[in-house]
């Protein structure tokens, strides 16, 4: 619950100035009244996987966002207007097109992205031109020093996570065989763990690809001391 309230507080810090002084992407649009009466909701586009190989992990972030929005709305919303999430399914593939679509919406107050940070790094000019803040969940631009203004990285950096985990697994648990489960095409988590294990004098980890289900990947990595 603390993490969800932190997300709600971050949304408040980002959205309240936009709702009271005009949206960051341009002049404030006059909100259409809600069909049910009352103030129109503020729609936040979310780029995440509802299907595909990363849907299971992305669902945990989406559940947290939905809870944070409920907490935020119960507290009165932003300038009296409730929030609404509009989830765009990237199907576990390259999300650049959907991110561009979200950034191009007139007066978009913020964009939430669940997944690797590479698409945002490739769209840096578009992000900066939109002037809308982007919240990055699960991805990591900090470790590779590609984080730039307007992108708020919510997840801890991979380099920090890998260092802490490697010390725990090697020094405290005395594991020697480690497997890293990653989605196809995402090298950053494996490389971060491999580098951290090497610093602790441990052998390189095995890499297991998450292709269809987490249970299948767990079976593939069952011979390792830690996964």
């Amino acid at each position: 619950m603390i993490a969800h309230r932190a997300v709600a507080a971050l949304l408040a810090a980002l959205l309240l100035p936009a709702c009271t002084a005009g949206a960051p992407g341009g002049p404030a649009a006059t909100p259409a009244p809600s069909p049910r009466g009352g103030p129109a909701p503020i729609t936040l586009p979310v780029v995440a996987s509802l299907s595909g190989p990363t849907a299971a992990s992305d669902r945990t972030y989406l559940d947290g966002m939905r809870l944070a929005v409920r907490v935020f709305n119960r507290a009165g919303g932003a300038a009296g207007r409730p929030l609404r999430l509009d989830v765009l399914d990237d199907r576990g593939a390259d999300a650049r097109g959907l991110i561009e679509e979200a950034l191009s919406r007139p007066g978009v107050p913020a964009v939430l992205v669940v997944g690797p940070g590479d698409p945002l790094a490739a769209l840096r000019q578009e992000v900066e031109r939109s002037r809308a803040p982007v919240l990055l969940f699960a991805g990591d631009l900090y470790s590779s020093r590609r984080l730039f203004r307007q992108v708020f990285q919510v997840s801890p950096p991979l380099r920090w996570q890998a260092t802490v985990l490697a010390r725990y697994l090697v020094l405290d648990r005395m594991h020697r065989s480690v497997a890293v489960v990653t989605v196809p095409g995402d090298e950053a988590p494996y490389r971060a763990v491999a580098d951290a294990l090497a610093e602790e004098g441990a052998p390189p980890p095995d890499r297991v690809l998450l292709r269809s289900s987490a249970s299948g990947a767990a079976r593939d990595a069952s011979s390792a001391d830690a996964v």
Side-chain angles (χ1 to χ4, degrees), residues 192-219:
V193 174
D195 291 344
L197 288 174
E199 291 178 1
E200 301 299 334
D206 294 329
R207 185 179 182 190
V208 177
L209 295 180
L210 178 61
R211 297 189 182 277
S212 57
S213 67
S215 58
R219 287 193 299 270

Side-chain angles (χ1 to χ4, degrees), residues 5 20 24 55 61 64-65 67 83 92 108 111 115 130 138 167 190 207 213:
R5 293 191 180 208
T20 56
Y61 290 95
M65 290 178 192
L67 178 55
L83 299 184
V108 61
V111 177
S130 76
R167 288 175 181 170
Y190 175 82
R207 185 179 182 190
S213 67

Side-chain angles (χ1 to χ4, degrees), residues 4 7 11 46 48-50 58-74 83 85-87 112:
H4 303 142
V7 174
L11 288 172
V46 182
S49 297
L50 295 174
D58 285 15
R59 188 177 302 119
T60 62
Y61 290 95
L62 292 171
D63 288 345
M65 290 178 192
R66 292 177 179 121
L67 178 55
V69 165
R70 287 199 294 270
V71 171
F72 192 79
N73 287 340
R74 281 201 299 267
L83 299 184
L85 300 177
D86 179 19
V87 182
L112 283 61

